[in-house]
Amino acid sequence: MLKQKKYEFWFCTGSQDLYGEECLNKVAAHSRKIVEELNKSGILPYEVVWKPTLITNELIRKTFNEANLDEKCAGVITWMHTFSPAKSWILGLQEYRKPLLHLHTQFNEEIPYDSIDMDFMNENQSAHGDREYGHIVSRMRIERKVVVGHFADPIVIGKIASWMRTAVGIIESSHIRVMRIADNMRNVAVTEGDKVEAQIKFGWEIDAYPVNEITESVDAVSASDVNALVDEYYDKYEILLEGRDPEEFKKHVSVQAQIEIGFERFLEEKNYQAIVTHFGDLGGLKQLPGLAIQRLMEKGYGFGAEGDWKVAAMVRLMKIMTADIKNPKGTSMLEDYTYNLVKGKEGILQAHMLEICPTIADGPISIKCQPLSMGDREDPARLVFTSKEGPGVAVSLIDLGNRFRLIINDVDCKKVEKPMPKLPVATNFWTPQPDMYTGAEAWILAGGAHHTAFSYDLSAEQMGDWANAMGIEAVYIDKDTKIRDFKKDLMLGEIFYK
Ligand code: MN
């Protein structure tokens, strides 16, 4: 099982000593109170840690370097309570390497009309202190998030919470290790990519292992371990024999249970958090891992089919970014399969051969055992279900030869009109924003893949912020997308990210 680190975020307040000790005491008291309120809100997924007020070059530099080295610190939140001459921030910012949030807030919500005087003005001047600080961050071209509003406003705290998840994604990206037990599918272009560049940009380690090494780990799983897991499956899922002999059916399911255990042990032993397979390159495996991969994805592993390591890493990344969410709706690899083009009911049926994560399921999940119609193995057992309704985000990371691009599409997931009793795979169905026609046209113009990493629990903003932090282009296909403007976005990206 995958574990998540207990990250925290530092809260650093900027000021100066121009207004004396008394003013600085108030600054410290105010920032402590803000940190206390943020932590008490119950909205933030991670703790905020108060740091002493930053007023000198030396202290700013020291604090940022401590943040770099502190393994628990996933980012720094900065706020200028008074004026803080921004040249003091240059060295610290130059050396800082983690996610940065500029919280543009102030302690008082309302102007104290009856009592306001110049002392108050000098003490509470975020409106211009934060502009001075913002200027230097922009001048230094440092990627950061700016959140504006009163610190006690749940909307503002919600934005901080959302950024925290992105920040953890940025930090954790460099801990993602993808195991390739198969190469990219022959002749397929969009799932290919430059693995060295991916490590430079995203920190991902993408390594190959012979499929028969993992097969040995599968074969080593004892019959009693397999039987215990099969019992768990039979308790948890509906069994849809569909005319098959119950004993024969169970044997097929057992193969997947053995793969689940064997794969997980091998991944844990070698420290990998994502895996790719290929239906045409299965070595000694008896079935294409279906149910087994679905269960591993549910546990938080990333997965990409047909050797698609970019999707495997993205699914893992999105699992990390959503790990702390209470009652998540789910995150999975998906694939654009077939359209419904009936007017007013347009959408794309999402599925894969087998490997859809059950976290996105709505209602009962059943096990079926059916021929694969591709490859040359036994009929694989798989989990079958339909998915939840509601908004989600689908992303595709592509390699353009000289750089990466992340394509981000807001989609609306719906129920299909009728059951599909003959379709033996898990499905989702969505209409891309802004509509089926513009959405698909923009996706194709951008070069988006058929495989996607999808989540109900993340926003386009979070995924785009992650891409920007990685120094790659992000393009958005959403309710505001117009093809003419979208083509201009792509042209601008060609110039900017050259
Ligand atoms: Mn595929």
Side-chain angles (χ1 to χ4, degrees):
M1 205 62 178
L2 292 163
K3 281 180 227 90
Q4 184 90 344
K5 259 192 221 143
K6 255 203 120 31
Y7 282 111
E8 53 190 39
F9 289 82
W10 290 12
F11 193 92
C12 297
T13 308
S15 189
Q16 61 177 352
D17 51 12
L18 199 66
Y19 305 113
E21 197 57 32
E22 200 194 322
C23 175
L24 280 174
N25 287 340
K26 280 190 190 161
V27 168
H30 287 175
S31 65
R32 272 186 192 280
K33 179 80 181 156
I34 290 178
V35 169
E36 214 180 285
E37 290 297 318
L38 289 175
N39 285 328
K40 267 197 337 210
S41 71
I43 298 172
L44 297 181
Y46 301 96
E47 201 193 337
V48 180
V49 177
W50 181 86
K51 292 284 161 184
T53 312
L54 301 179
I55 48 172
T56 64
N57 216 325
E58 292 73 26
L59 186 59
I60 293 169
R61 191 177 187 182
K62 185 170 169 275
T63 305
F64 273 133
N65 274 300
E66 283 167 3
N68 282 336
L69 290 175
D70 189 308
E71 279 200 10
K72 280 194 295 183
C73 174
V76 169
I77 301 169
T78 47
W79 168 54
M80 305 304 118
H81 186 299
T82 61
F83 200 75
S84 178
K87 287 186 194 170
S88 325
W89 290 80
I90 292 174
L91 281 173
L93 286 169
Q94 253 166 0
E95 289 167 14
Y96 181 61
R97 294 191 305 273
K98 286 185 175 176
L100 183 65
L101 175 79
H102 181 183
L103 178 60
H104 182 42
T105 190
Q106 67 180 20
F107 189 68
N108 54 302
E109 189 180 14
E110 192 177 36
I111 295 174
Y113 299 105
D114 299 332
S115 60
I116 190 165
D117 56 12
M118 270 328 277
D119 284 343
F120 181 91
M121 294 275 270
N122 286 331
E123 243 175 59
N124 299 278
Q125 48 176 301
S126 311
H128 86 264
D130 270 334
R131 280 172 167 76
E132 163 74 357
Y133 168 76
H135 165 76
I136 204 69
V137 186
S138 289
R139 174 164 171 163
M140 292 173 74
R141 275 80 171 171
I142 291 171
E143 187 60 38
R144 88 292 208 185
K145 188 79 184 167
V146 180
V147 170
V148 181
H150 192 250
F151 66 89
D153 179 354
I155 294 170
V156 170
I157 307 175
K159 286 181 181 174
I160 300 171
S162 160
W163 169 79
M164 281 179 164
R165 296 192 174 100
T166 308
V168 166
I170 293 163
I171 295 286
E172 280 278 338
S173 190
S174 59
H175 299 292
I176 295 177
R177 288 159 50 88
V178 183
M179 178 180 284
R180 300 168 63 237
I181 54 166
D183 198 358
N184 186 68
M185 189 173 167
R186 273 191 292 281
N187 290 318
V188 177
V190 77
T191 51
E192 276 284 12
D194 182 338
K195 299 189 282 292
V196 179
E197 196 57 27
Q199 187 159 359
I200 293 169
K201 277 276 180 302
F202 314 123
W204 300 345
E205 291 178 56
I206 305 137
D207 302 321
Y209 281 79
V211 63
N212 279 342
E213 258 188 57
I214 204 166
T215 306
E216 280 170 30
S217 169
V218 172
D219 291 343
V221 179
S222 70
S224 61
D225 285 354
V226 171
N227 292 338
L229 187 57
V230 170
D231 288 347
E232 189 187 319
Y233 292 169
Y234 273 61
D235 274 349
K236 198 168 172 187
Y237 309 115
E238 283 178 29
I239 304 300
L240 290 181
L241 292 177
E242 294 177 322
R244 291 183 93 113
D245 174 72
E247 280 313 303
E248 183 254 10
F249 187 96
K250 203 170 204 171
K251 267 191 206 147
H252 283 252
V253 175
S254 303
V255 169
Q256 293 288 336
Q258 198 175 17
I259 295 174
E260 180 185 333
I261 300 167
F263 270 33
E264 188 167 16
R265 285 180 187 164
F266 196 74
L267 288 165
E268 259 190 36
E269 183 194 308
K270 311 254 183 248
N271 186 29
Y272 287 85
Q273 301 79 36
I275 187 167
V276 303
T277 59
H278 180 352
F279 65 88
D281 187 3
L282 292 172
L285 294 172
K286 294 192 194 89
Q287 297 175 15
L288 172 66
L291 199 162
I293 287 291
Q294 292 177 292
R295 298 257 313 174
L296 289 175
M297 256 194 282
E298 188 178 20
K299 288 174 181 169
Y301 288 91
F303 172 75
E306 292 94 52
D308 194 339
W309 53 265
K310 297 201 295 305
V311 162
M314 286 308 297
V315 169
R316 170 62 185 152
L317 177 79
M318 290 161 82
K319 296 256 178 203
I320 295 162
M321 288 169 75
T322 55
D324 62 85
I325 293 177
K326 284 174 207 120
N327 306 316
K329 284 179 78 178
T331 299
S332 180
M333 171 194 153
L334 282 164
E335 181 171 73
D336 296 305
Y337 245 102
T338 201
Y339 288 122
N340 191 38
L341 292 173
V342 175
K343 293 281 176 204
K345 297 170 182 175
E346 294 96 337
I348 317 171
L349 188 64
Q350 303 288 324
H352 202 258
M353 258 172 242
L354 306 171
E355 313 93 329
I356 305 302
C357 179
T359 55
I360 66 170
D362 188 26
I365 300 176
S366 40
I367 301 181
K368 286 194 183 195
C369 191
Q370 291 272 341
L372 196 59
S373 75
M374 273 198 244
D376 55 359
R377 300 303 154 113
E378 281 180 7
D379 300 352
R382 77 287 304 272
L383 298 173
V384 180
F385 52 84
T386 58
S387 299
K388 299 178 184 88
E389 293 180 88
V393 67
V395 305
S396 173
L397 179 69
I398 58 162
D399 186 334
L400 288 165
N402 57 339
R403 62 191 183 85
F404 291 103
R405 168 185 287 157
L406 188 70
I407 300 145
I408 306 165
N409 194 184
D410 286 336
V411 299
D412 296 307
C413 300
K414 301 164 180 178
K415 291 283 168 200
V416 286
E417 280 182 278
K418 294 177 191 170
M420 301 174 286
K422 290 191 171 165
L423 192 64
V425 288
T427 55
N428 197 342
F429 179 79
W430 71 51
T431 309
Q433 294 261 6
D435 58 74
M436 172 59 222
Y437 306 98
T438 315
E441 184 179 347
W443 187 270
I444 286 170
L445 285 172
H450 50 284
H451 288 165
T452 56
F454 163 84
S455 182
Y456 290 104
D457 306 309
L458 290 167
S459 65
E461 183 180 348
Q462 287 173 305
M463 296 314 298
D465 286 349
W466 174 82
N468 292 155
M470 297 292 134
I472 68 158
E473 180 190 20
V475 293
Y476 303 88
I477 305 171
D478 59 18
K479 63 178 178 27
D480 300 321
T481 297
K482 291 193 175 68
I483 293 297
R484 204 160 55 185
D485 299 337
F486 188 73
K487 283 169 93 169
K488 264 194 206 131
D489 283 351
L490 297 178
M491 280 161 67
L492 279 175
E494 290 290 353
I495 299 163
F496 185 81
Y497 291 98
K498 215 169 236 174

